[in-house]
Amino acid sequence: MTSPALPRKSLHITAAAVPLAGWTAHTIVLHRRLAAAQRNLLTGTLRREPFLTRAQRILERHPHDTIVILADADHFKTLNDTIGHAAGDIALAAIGARLTEWAGKRGAVGRLGGDEFAALTRVRPRHQALRLEHLAVLLAQPLSYDDEQLPLAVSAGAATQGTVGSRDLAVLMRAADAAMYEGKHQGVVVQARPHHAQARSVNGRREGRPGTHARPTSAAA
């Protein structure tokens, strides 16, 4: 017994669904590639520009509840030179993962370059001190590598509108960066104050960071 033929209208719909399904799959792949292009492959954190875009959006919407964090690994070059670059990569991935866990869905985390990270999230002012203590503990957890537990030290600074007196993202990042360097190797997240926002910067980075020095000009002939 032969199966009943599909109505002509159903055939048209089925035929149209084939290219539609192909286009849907293509769109999914495209979105995944775009998402991947916005993220650092090693750490899974946002690249600098996508991070700044998302951070600016969050800060504009929630200026009073936003904390900006700048962090980098202590003695990172020594870790690379003595243990190996594989250990350094695992350390960077761990820092990115821990900042991402801390920031949660309300925040954003970016790798600015090398071992420099920035994070931003929403926390009500009355809870901010406790959340910063939690971040310090999280960042200080030992690193599992080659069946061993390696110490991992990360310095961090925090800036908010309430402590710095500005809601400008560049100012908050500069202040958090200066606070981080003021408290290097202390194992706490240093809270920025207004004077930290006055730290001199070159191309948006604290003066003295590697790569920020000006090239010497040639003497006039």
Side-chain angles (χ1 to χ4, degrees), residues 137-157:
V137 172
L138 196 61
L139 292 175
Q141 296 301 310
L143 182 69
S144 296
Y145 176 71
D146 199 19
D147 297 327
E148 294 184 23
Q149 294 291 306
L150 300 178
L152 178 62
V154 181
S155 293

Side-chain angles (χ1 to χ4, degrees), residues 98-190:
R98 293 170 187 184
L99 286 171
T100 299
E101 177 186 341
W102 180 81
K105 295 181 179 180
R106 289 183 164 190
V109 179
R111 183 182 178 191
L112 304 183
D115 61 325
E116 301 173 40
F117 291 83
L120 175 147
T121 195
R122 292 168 51 198
V123 181
R124 294 191 180 278
R126 66 178 180 272
H127 298 144
Q128 289 176 359
L130 186 61
R131 286 294 303 277
L132 292 178
E133 290 178 12
H134 172 232
L135 177 60
V137 172
L138 196 61
L139 292 175
Q141 296 301 310
L143 182 69
S144 296
Y145 176 71
D146 199 19
D147 297 327
E148 294 184 23
Q149 294 291 306
L150 300 178
L152 178 62
V154 181
S155 293
T160 66
Q161 181 189 18
T163 59
V164 174
S166 173
R167 63 174 63 184
D168 182 89
L169 179 60
V171 172
L172 291 171
M173 289 180 67
R174 182 166 64 246
D177 191 44
M180 174 186 67
Y181 268 84
E182 184 178 288
K184 260 292 188 181
H185 313 302
Q186 293 185 13
V188 297
V189 181
V190 180

Side-chain angles (χ1 to χ4, degrees), residues 6-102:
L6 288 171
R8 186 178 299 274
K9 183 176 181 182
S10 297
L11 291 174
H12 283 308
I13 293 173
T14 303
V18 174
L20 181 61
W23 176 251
T24 300
H26 171 74
T27 302
I28 292 172
V29 170
L30 182 60
H31 278 298
R32 287 177 178 172
R33 287 179 178 175
L34 288 173
Q38 291 186 327
R39 295 190 175 274
N40 175 259
L41 295 179
L42 176 62
T43 65
T45 58
L46 292 169
R47 298 181 188 273
R48 176 186 287 269
E49 292 306 319
F51 167 76
L52 293 175
T53 299
R54 176 163 169 73
Q56 184 64 45
R57 188 180 305 123
I58 294 171
L59 185 59
E60 288 175 354
R61 293 176 178 174
H62 309 281
H64 302 290
D65 297 341
T66 299
I67 301 180
V68 176
I69 301 291
L70 263 290
D72 68 16
D74 296 340
H75 311 299
F76 185 68
K77 185 178 185 302
T78 301
L79 176 67
N80 271 334
D81 292 345
T82 58
I83 310 278
H85 288 278
D89 287 349
I90 290 175
L92 292 175
I95 295 170
R98 293 170 187 184
L99 286 171
T100 299
E101 177 186 341
W102 180 81

